Amino acid sequence: MADVAILETRERVLAGILLTGAAYFLFSTQDASIKLLVTGMTVWQIMFFRSITTLSACAAIGGRKLFADTVRSPIVRPMLVRSAFTLAAWLCYYNAARSLQLAELTTVYYAAPIIVTVLSVVMLGEKVPMLRWLAVLIGFAGVFVACDPTHLGLSVPVLLVLAAAFLWGIAIVLLRKTALAERSMIQLLLNNFYFLLFSAGPALLWWQTPDWTQLLLLASVGALGGFAQYLLFEGMKRTAASILAPLEYSSLLWAFALGFAIWGDVPRREVFFGAALIIAAGLLIVGTEHFRKRL
């Protein structure tokens, strides 16, 4: 019986790793689709279509009961604040996508997990061990190298990505306060409902009628984003966060591969070095946390 239990545990862990890895691939593919779209329409319009697609999926899956439960949820107001920060982060990120390679965009954006560590001290009063602060410094060094002051410098697109990372860091800290208070489908519905409210006005004001290719890309953005979130939630149910955390850095590899496959981008040497430092910082944070829990 013990061997069967161990086998089931291993299968659950493997399933969690596969689901989470697939989720990050889909998120990267979504980013590539949005990068293709932002050359011909506003980010507001893309977010508007994405929200409608995700809300339609929520309605098909959860029906009236899901909407009724959402109205009565205690996180309706906290989610409004969190969604505002998330939307602001996405607006900065995808506007920067017009000017940066996908690999550059993703690498610089990986300042976000490092910023979360700093904000967790300021906003949540968490205690951070010295090794984690070392990881923060290594991560910031990676972002600095990837930006390469002699090449990208502090240009508007780079500042937009850094602003996106900061805003997303705040959204993640706020997520820690609401994640345990409600189930994932309600959070998903509320998040996209607020996105729809925020983006509807500007999207209609600067409306550009999409062609068939753009319509397919818009539909794919909604489908990829929604399915990726579902896979991520399912993966987290099966496997410890300390095991799954390093998989987030697979997004960097997908960004490099997709950028080369779609646009023929060959990232500069500094981007590779920066990505390596950022991954090392993330693994150091995960390893420190895992070792602390074992002690």
Side-chain angles (χ1 to χ4, degrees):
M1 291 295 291
D3 291 340
V4 173
I6 292 172
L7 182 60
E8 289 179 351
T9 300
R10 287 177 179 172
E11 288 179 348
R12 283 181 63 83
V13 170
L14 178 60
I17 290 171
L18 292 174
L19 288 167
T20 305
Y24 286 124
F25 169 70
L26 293 178
F27 278 130
S28 298
T29 309
Q30 172 201 246
D31 288 350
S33 299
I34 291 177
K35 182 171 170 58
L36 288 168
L37 284 166
V38 291
T39 58
M41 63 178 59
T42 66
V43 177
W44 292 107
Q45 192 170 348
I46 297 169
M47 292 296 103
F48 179 74
F49 272 96
R50 185 184 187 277
S51 300
I52 289 177
T53 304
T54 307
L55 287 172
S56 299
C58 288
I61 295 169
R64 292 183 179 179
K65 187 178 185 304
L66 176 62
F67 283 83
D69 291 345
T70 301
V71 171
R72 295 191 295 268
S73 174
I75 68 165
V76 170
R77 289 184 179 178
M79 278 293 296
L80 175 61
V81 178
R82 190 186 114 194
S83 297
F85 278 105
T86 304
L87 180 63
W90 283 3
L91 288 170
C92 291
Y93 183 81
Y94 291 121
N95 275 304
R98 292 189 175 97
S99 306
L100 298 177
Q101 292 182 359
L102 191 61
E104 293 173 337
L105 192 71
T106 307
T107 302
V108 176
Y109 185 69
Y110 265 89
I114 304 158
I115 291 171
V116 169
T117 302
V118 178
L119 290 177
S120 66
V121 177
V122 178
M123 297 177 64
L124 300 178
E126 294 182 2
K127 293 182 179 179
V128 178
M130 287 302 298
L131 275 177
R132 196 178 299 176
W133 282 119
L134 175 62
V136 168
L137 292 175
I138 294 172
F140 272 122
V143 173
F144 181 80
V145 170
C147 289
D148 184 14
T150 62
H151 180 78
L152 290 179
L154 292 179
S155 61
V156 172
V158 171
L159 290 174
L160 281 174
V161 181
L162 291 174
F166 180 74
L167 292 165
W168 180 250
I170 295 175
I172 289 296
V173 173
L174 294 175
L175 171 62
R176 291 181 181 177
K177 294 184 175 183
T178 60
L180 298 178
E182 195 53 270
R183 65 184 191 268
S184 300
M185 282 298 294
I186 288 179
Q187 294 188 65
L188 187 63
L189 193 154
L190 276 173
N191 206 37
N192 284 277
F193 173 71
Y194 288 136
F195 282 0
L196 185 64
L197 288 182
F198 293 147
S199 63
L204 295 174
L205 181 63
W206 292 297
W207 181 266
Q208 294 175 319
T209 303
D211 57 30
W212 284 107
T213 302
Q214 290 173 321
L215 277 174
L216 287 173
L217 282 171
L218 287 167
S220 72
V221 165
L224 289 168
F227 192 41
Q229 289 179 64
Y230 176 78
L231 291 179
L232 190 62
F233 295 146
E234 288 299 307
M236 288 182 173
K237 288 178 182 177
R238 290 168 170 79
T239 309
S242 60
I243 296 174
L244 296 179
L247 291 175
E248 185 173 1
Y249 292 96
S250 65
S251 298
L252 285 170
L253 303 178
W254 292 124
F256 280 49
L258 289 168
F260 179 76
I262 298 172
W263 295 279
D265 292 340
V266 178
R268 293 169 294 104
R269 180 179 57 185
E270 291 81 6
V271 176
F272 282 105
F273 287 160
L277 286 171
I278 292 168
I279 291 173
L283 292 177
L284 181 58
I285 290 174
V286 172
T288 302
E289 184 65 17
H290 182 66
F291 181 71
R292 184 184 65 82
K293 286 182 177 180
R294 289 191 65 179
L295 287 178

